[in-house]
Amino acid sequence: MTLLLLAGTGEARVIATALRGRDVIASLAGVTRDPAPLAVPVCQGGFGGEAGFRDFLTRKNIHAVLDATHPYAARITARSAAVCADLGLPFCQLLRPAWQPAKGDRWTTIAQEADAAGHIPLGSTVFLGTGRQTLAGFANLVGRRVICRQIDPPDTPFPFAGGEFLVGRPPFSVMDETALFTRLGVDWLVVKNAGGQASATKLTAARALGIPVLMLARPAQGNWLTVENVQAALDWVAQCG
């Protein structure tokens, strides 16, 4: 069996290592310029849309697809699930559980990026932990100091007034995040509900500092098979043959 692993998360890296030596191809969309290496052959840069994805599955004789992309890579997941269903290929998404608020958290869930301006007062310092791909959706935050953290150095100016980029490559410890938020004078934290332990450190720091959090809701989930952790994903791969 040839497995296509749609990668881009820490879980995908663990899965690739566990499947080293098996007939596996990993795919990276190319969002990060210099991603950490994987233990299996990698196809980088995406497929060129639905037609390109169909062609890749046929040309590489793919027998099953395991989607271990980010929980907010909704278009990639939905397209992959639909194409696999059409072709009769087994498909599974590894979808880590969403974060849940703990005692002391000050969370507000928002449906879309533009909703943030209705909660954050003018003059606030806002830390965006949502990545550069959704940055344009926060354009109505003019009048606040907006700090957007991303892995790669920016190659274009900040898209609206009052914003700045902060370059940093995870992981970040709770101590790192606490010190950073204190130094920057962060009043509000905006994040996607990505789930997982590695990126939850910023939420722990916000709780300790009493910083309110705007939590961008997850995309709607489709009707396809999902598992919640690496072991369940590996068990599914074993069942596929």
Side-chain angles (χ1 to χ4, degrees):
M1 181 190 80
T2 301
L3 174 75
L4 175 62
L5 172 64
L6 304 179
T9 60
E11 289 91 345
R13 189 170 301 112
V14 174
I15 290 169
T17 300
L19 297 177
R20 188 200 313 261
R22 302 274 298 274
D23 196 358
V24 179
I25 302 172
S27 169
L28 289 171
V31 174
T32 302
R33 295 175 197 163
D34 186 24
L38 296 175
V40 298
V42 174
C43 170
Q44 190 161 351
F47 302 103
E50 180 178 332
F53 184 58
R54 286 177 178 272
D55 175 70
F56 184 91
L57 295 176
T58 302
R59 186 162 35 87
K60 296 294 186 179
N61 196 27
I62 301 299
H63 295 89
V65 176
L66 175 58
D67 180 353
T69 58
H70 194 275
Y72 285 73
R75 286 185 296 179
I76 291 175
T77 297
R79 180 198 67 191
S80 301
V83 170
C84 286
D86 188 48
L87 297 177
L89 297 179
F91 174 86
C92 180
Q93 179 191 17
L94 197 172
L95 182 63
R96 62 178 85 123
W99 290 316
Q100 301 297 326
K103 183 178 180 181
D105 282 328
R106 301 168 61 192
W107 293 7
T108 301
T109 299
I110 56 176
Q112 57 188 353
E113 292 86 350
D115 294 342
H119 298 273
I120 301 175
L122 294 173
S124 299
T125 296
V126 184
F127 189 90
L128 293 183
T130 56
R132 71 178 187 271
Q133 289 184 300
T134 58
L135 186 54
F138 294 102
N140 62 351
L141 283 177
V142 171
R144 296 85 169 168
R145 180 191 179 199
V146 179
I147 303 164
C148 176
R149 182 162 64 191
Q150 61 180 47
I151 294 175
D152 298 313
D155 48 16
T156 59
F158 205 87
F160 53 88
E164 59 193 85
F165 289 113
L166 176 68
V167 177
R169 182 176 288 270
F172 307 104
S173 69
V174 174
M175 185 178 298
D176 291 336
E177 300 289 59
T178 302
L180 177 66
F181 294 166
T182 301
R183 176 171 62 83
L184 295 174
V186 172
D187 300 309
W188 285 83
L189 173 64
V190 184
V191 299
K192 297 175 179 178
N193 196 331
Q197 296 182 350
S199 56
T201 53
K202 54 184 173 285
L203 297 174
T204 305
R207 183 187 310 128
L209 295 171
I211 297 172
V213 175
L214 290 184
M215 188 72 69
L216 190 62
R218 284 190 170 188
Q221 186 65 19
N223 186 26
W224 51 74
L225 178 65
T226 63
V227 294
E228 292 188 344
N229 55 61
V230 167
Q231 186 55 57
L234 291 173
D235 289 345
W236 177 82
V237 172
Q239 292 170 10
C240 288

